[in-house]
Amino acid sequence: MMSSPVVAIDGPSGVGKGTLAQWLCCKTGFHLLDSGAIYRALAYGVSKEGIDIADVESLVTLAESLPVEFKATSIIYAGDDVTSIIRTEEVAAVASKVAAIPEVRQSLLKRQKDFAQAPGLIADGRDMGTVVFPNANVKLFLTASAEERAKRRVNQLKNQGVSANIAQITQDIMERDERDRTRSSSPLIPADDALIIDTTSLTIQEVCDKAQGALVEAGIDF
Ligand code: DC
């Protein structure tokens, strides 16, 4: 039996992967894997429980039984709604550090693979097309300049009612990107067979249209 189609969307932070993933989910009716939210939920748990990020054994123990659940519009951690709090820059900084640890990535692998279910999956992350779903039917890799991504992040945070300093956000984004790109385990790189979309001067709709074209070409009609 053919397995359900998987669409991998990778790229750095603030590039618009989440927006594209949600648009594709609405269009296709596929499930969504927001893998960054899993790393963020882990970071939240690490901070909440006061785990030292050098204590790999405790990190892995928490990752293996991470009490996170994805509801329609909210993310629940051990019964608490953490949808907003995991989006803060503080949580993102810890997420980027724990995501660099190979044992942590390994222990979150199965949880991510389990999202691949009928009728299909849109998977948003950094290593969807390279590590988690190397056989994905479509692999998209989004890029944009750091300045453009910082601008988008600031607007996104403002819309969520979170105040933001553009200089600080640009610096945070560049530091986080550098860590995500240069880590030895699952670095942020496009898969050989990924379609690279530079979104710097594209509208959201133009990005969605290009992605739709790639899905149609792969036989995923909608
Ligand atoms: O996409 P995001 O900003 O929510 O991701 C938060 C952090 O998790 C970011 O530093 C990159 C990391 N991450 C990762 O290493 N692998 C993934 N598949 C998704 C996110």
Side-chain angles (χ1 to χ4, degrees), residues 1 17 26 48 52 58-59 80 85 93 100 104-105 107 126 135 144 156 187 193 204-205 209:
M1 193 178 73
K17 301 185 300 288
C26 283
K48 187 177 170 203
D52 182 342
S58 296
L59 291 178
D80 295 333
I85 199 164
V104 167
R105 303 195 71 84
S107 56
R126 303 293 191 288
N135 299 320
Q156 192 183 35
D193 50 350
I204 292 172
Q205 195 54 51
D209 290 346

Side-chain angles (χ1 to χ4, degrees), residues 117-157:
Q117 287 179 19
L121 179 69
I122 309 293
D124 161 351
R126 303 293 191 288
D127 60 345
M128 300 297 100
T130 48
V131 177
V132 183
F133 301 108
N135 299 320
N137 304 62
V138 178
K139 297 180 185 179
L140 305 171
F141 192 91
L142 271 47
T143 65
S145 69
E147 292 73 20
E148 177 62 26
R149 289 185 289 124
K151 229 189 286 169
R152 292 178 190 174
R153 187 66 111 193
V154 167
N155 284 337
Q156 192 183 35
L157 289 171

Side-chain angles (χ1 to χ4, degrees), residues 2-7 24-32 115-122 137 215 219-221:
M2 279 272 285
S3 53
S4 306
V6 174
V7 177
L24 286 172
C25 279
C26 283
K27 287 279 180 184
T28 56
F30 287 5
H31 298 285
L32 172 69
F115 276 78
Q117 287 179 19
L121 179 69
I122 309 293
N137 304 62
L215 266 69
I220 305 170
D221 277 314

Side-chain angles (χ1 to χ4, degrees), residues 35-36 39-40 96 99 105 126-128 176 180 183:
S35 60
Y39 286 97
R40 286 172 184 263
S96 174
R105 303 195 71 84
R126 303 293 191 288
D127 60 345
M128 300 297 100
R176 202 162 354 123
D180 293 342
R183 66 183 176 216

Side-chain angles (χ1 to χ4, degrees), residues 110-199:
K110 184 179 180 304
R111 180 183 287 259
Q112 295 176 83
K113 285 180 188 286
D114 286 347
F115 276 78
Q117 287 179 19
L121 179 69
I122 309 293
D124 161 351
R126 303 293 191 288
D127 60 345
M128 300 297 100
T130 48
V131 177
V132 183
F133 301 108
N135 299 320
N137 304 62
V138 178
K139 297 180 185 179
L140 305 171
F141 192 91
L142 271 47
T143 65
S145 69
E147 292 73 20
E148 177 62 26
R149 289 185 289 124
K151 229 189 286 169
R152 292 178 190 174
R153 187 66 111 193
V154 167
N155 284 337
Q156 192 183 35
L157 289 171
K158 277 193 185 144
N159 288 339
Q160 292 164 355
V162 181
S163 67
N165 170 321
I166 184 124
Q168 185 63 50
I169 299 269
T170 309
Q171 193 184 332
D172 288 350
I173 280 185
M174 287 168 91
E175 279 173 15
R176 202 162 354 123
D177 281 357
E178 178 66 11
R179 202 159 37 221
D180 293 342
R181 259 196 201 106
T182 57
R183 66 183 176 216
S184 56
S185 174
S186 301
L188 174 64
I189 42 158
D192 289 339
D193 50 350
L195 171 68
I196 297 177
I197 304 177
D198 183 350
T199 71

